[in-house]
Amino acid sequence: EAVKEVVEAEKAAAAKTAVAVAFITTIVVICGTCLLWMWKGECGRQQVAKLHAQLVEEQRARQAIEQQRNEWQVRQVAEASQQQLEAAEAQREQIRILELERAS
């Protein structure tokens, strides 16, 4: 009878230990999974941040190129206008010379 009680007590203790081990294992697996997800999420956020920084840098480069192109176009228009102005002044000077020749 006493042996039966000891055997049953050992079985009960083994069952409790098995339940405790299963519970702890489950918690470790869940916590490990959560930590893995958080780590992957952090890696994902870092990658998104890097991609965003690259995108911003590319946009700045495009804007700089566009601004240089605009400045170049403005210079071209200014040079063309200056040439037209000089041509008009030369024509006026020729007209003035012709008028003076006719008058004399």
Side-chain angles (χ1 to χ4, degrees), residues 87-99:
E89 288 177 11
Q91 282 180 339
R92 271 187 248 142
E93 185 64 25
Q94 286 178 346
I95 291 171
R96 189 180 66 80
I97 290 172
L98 288 173
E99 289 176 350

Side-chain angles (χ1 to χ4, degrees), residues 1-103:
E1 186 82 22
V3 173
K4 276 186 174 180
E5 288 179 13
V6 170
V7 170
E8 287 180 22
E10 286 179 359
K11 284 182 182 179
K16 287 181 184 178
T17 302
V19 169
V21 167
F23 180 72
I24 290 171
T25 303
T26 303
I27 289 176
V28 168
V29 168
I30 291 171
C31 289
T33 303
C34 287
L35 289 173
L36 181 63
W37 284 346
M38 287 179 5
W39 178 74
K40 281 189 168 189
E42 184 60 31
C43 288
R45 280 189 285 279
Q46 289 175 358
Q47 191 171 10
V48 167
K50 285 179 185 177
L51 291 173
H52 179 69
Q54 287 176 344
L55 179 63
V56 168
E57 189 62 32
E58 288 174 7
Q59 287 175 339
R60 286 182 183 156
R62 283 188 194 117
Q63 288 174 346
I65 291 169
E66 186 65 28
Q67 185 170 351
Q68 288 176 348
R69 185 180 302 130
N70 290 342
E71 289 171 358
W72 179 81
Q73 288 174 342
V74 167
R75 279 195 304 272
Q76 293 296 328
V77 169
E79 289 174 8
S81 297
Q82 182 64 32
Q83 289 173 355
Q84 287 176 347
L85 223 148
E86 290 171 359
E89 288 177 11
Q91 282 180 339
R92 271 187 248 142
E93 185 64 25
Q94 286 178 346
I95 291 171
R96 189 180 66 80
I97 290 172
L98 288 173
E99 289 176 350
L100 287 174
E101 287 177 354
R102 281 187 196 163

